[in-house]
Amino acid sequence: MIIVNGNGTTNAIEVSNLWKIFATHAGQIDLSDEEQLRTLDDSDEDTVAVRDTSFSVPKGEVFVVMGLSGSGKSTLIRCLLRLIEPTAGSIRINDWDVCNLDTAQLTEFRRKEAAMVFQHYGLLPHRTVLDNVAFGLKLQSMKKSQREEQARHWIDRVGLSDFEKYYPAQLSGGMQQRVGIARALVCDPPVLLMDEPFSGLDPLIRREMQDELVSLQEGVQKTIFFVTHDLDEGMRLGDRMAVMRTGNFVQVGTPDEILADPADDYVARFVEDKRKQLEKANKRKTTGAEAK
């Protein structure tokens, strides 16, 4: 099945009416019963983490999801790979009906179709940089010489060609994240899922990693689903952005659209500081031009 959006562009990701409820009997909840849902919202034990969310991401787009802690963005990205099982709804990634895959099909999907880059790297501590990057290819039963050749290519692309024999504990946080990105890209997945991958890095390294991702994307043109709580990062990386609150999107648009025309008070507060920065910068430019 080829998924096409209203502009005639092929979609890589198509999510419809997705729910994730953390509750003892989540599968028995009537999602059309508003009173029952309000009871869940008021509960200290149960959580509606993703709430009737629908969206699509065209192939080759960098789609950024932003939100404060607890907004549901990390649960959402994990549902896309079924690292967390959705309560209801559908997920299609290219030709894969993700929610209806059996165990073997799901394993195949994760190996070939979509790769995840985590905030805390997820590297294997007892394996070298080369072995970490090549690990996914080993799972695909690729010959050692071939997988190491491909791994070296991506190690070089992320600027770590002199560190192939190092172990994760010998690397800085930024270097470990580069290994994680190389490991994700070496299997050539069409879709890359990134869950706050740079949030644990100091500002200078974080900027370098953003630069690296922009440079890589110019060459590989992956579909990237990127989760962050940082507005500057989202605006810099995203072709489109979604602002998430209490499990659903409250606004979707280009970074400029969201900054210029917030959909509600929540989004307005989210972008307030950035708007003030831009207003100050424009005033300085105007004052400087008048002085000349």
Side-chain angles (χ1 to χ4, degrees):
M1 176 180 175
I2 297 175
I3 307 165
V4 179
N5 61 29
N7 296 322
T9 305
T10 304
N11 289 329
I13 302 173
E14 189 87 16
V15 173
S16 298
N17 307 114
L18 190 69
W19 291 80
K20 177 57 188 178
I21 299 174
F22 292 100
T24 305
H25 303 293
Q28 300 174 18
I29 295 170
D30 182 357
L31 299 176
S32 65
D33 187 334
E34 294 184 4
E35 183 176 348
Q36 192 173 15
L37 293 174
R38 280 195 296 270
T39 300
L40 288 173
D41 289 333
D42 294 337
S43 171
D44 293 330
E45 299 178 357
D46 304 324
T47 303
V48 183
V50 178
R51 184 187 303 265
D52 198 20
T53 299
S54 300
F55 63 92
S56 60
V57 181
K59 285 187 175 180
E61 181 177 81
V62 180
F63 185 77
V64 174
V65 177
M66 296 190 316
L68 301 177
S69 178
S71 61
K73 56 190 187 298
S74 288
T75 299
L76 173 60
I77 195 173
R78 281 165 169 75
C79 283
L80 297 183
L81 273 184
R82 279 179 57 196
L83 300 176
I84 293 175
E85 288 289 346
T87 302
S90 68
I91 301 167
R92 294 199 69 92
I93 296 182
N94 294 327
D95 294 329
W96 299 78
D97 184 359
V98 177
C99 291
N100 288 318
L101 300 179
D102 62 27
T103 301
Q105 292 169 332
L106 184 58
T107 299
E108 185 75 1
F109 165 75
R110 290 172 178 168
R111 286 179 180 175
K112 294 185 176 180
E113 198 66 30
M116 187 97 166
V117 180
F118 296 94
Q119 177 180 347
H120 299 295
Y121 323 130
L123 303 181
L124 300 170
H126 60 288
R127 293 181 181 269
T128 64
V129 167
L130 180 62
D131 289 339
N132 262 285
V133 174
F135 187 70
L137 300 177
K138 183 178 181 180
L139 294 177
Q140 296 179 15
S141 301
M142 182 180 289
K143 291 182 179 179
K144 183 177 181 179
S145 59
Q146 187 177 359
R147 68 176 183 257
E148 289 188 350
E149 179 182 357
Q150 292 191 28
R152 287 190 176 96
H153 167 76
W154 283 106
I155 290 170
D156 181 63
R157 285 292 302 272
V158 300
L160 291 176
S161 56
D162 294 330
F163 295 89
E164 293 179 358
K165 296 181 180 180
Y166 282 60
Y167 289 88
Q170 298 173 289
L171 306 177
S172 68
M175 294 167 76
Q176 289 184 48
Q177 194 56 278
R178 290 172 190 264
V179 176
I181 292 173
R183 182 180 60 183
L185 289 171
V186 72
C187 296
D188 195 27
V191 176
L192 193 60
L193 308 176
M194 308 186 77
D195 185 15
E196 302 208 47
F198 309 144
S199 63
L201 307 177
D202 66 60
L204 289 178
I205 299 299
R206 184 170 189 160
R207 180 77 180 192
E208 288 180 8
M209 293 305 303
Q210 292 169 3
D211 290 341
E212 189 69 46
L213 184 60
V214 170
S215 177
L216 284 170
Q217 178 64 354
E218 289 175 354
V220 300
Q221 286 297 298
K222 300 293 183 184
T223 303
I224 300 178
F225 189 94
F226 192 102
V227 164
T228 183
H229 64 270
D230 186 284
L231 178 61
D232 288 331
E233 182 169 75
M235 292 189 64
R236 185 155 186 261
L237 298 178
D239 297 312
R240 285 190 306 144
M241 292 167 36
V243 181
M244 195 169 190
R245 181 187 187 189
T246 59
N248 207 343
F249 293 166
V250 293
Q251 186 171 4
V252 179
T254 67
D256 288 342
E257 288 170 348
I258 290 176
L259 193 63
D261 189 20
D264 61 13
D265 289 342
Y266 173 77
V267 181
R269 290 195 300 272
F270 208 97
V271 302
E272 182 178 10
D273 289 343
K274 187 65 177 180
R275 296 181 75 177
K276 287 180 178 178
Q277 289 175 11
L278 292 176
E279 288 172 3
K280 288 181 180 179
N282 288 334
K283 284 183 179 179
R284 286 195 293 267
K285 287 181 181 179
T286 302
T287 302
E290 290 175 349
K292 293 180 180 180

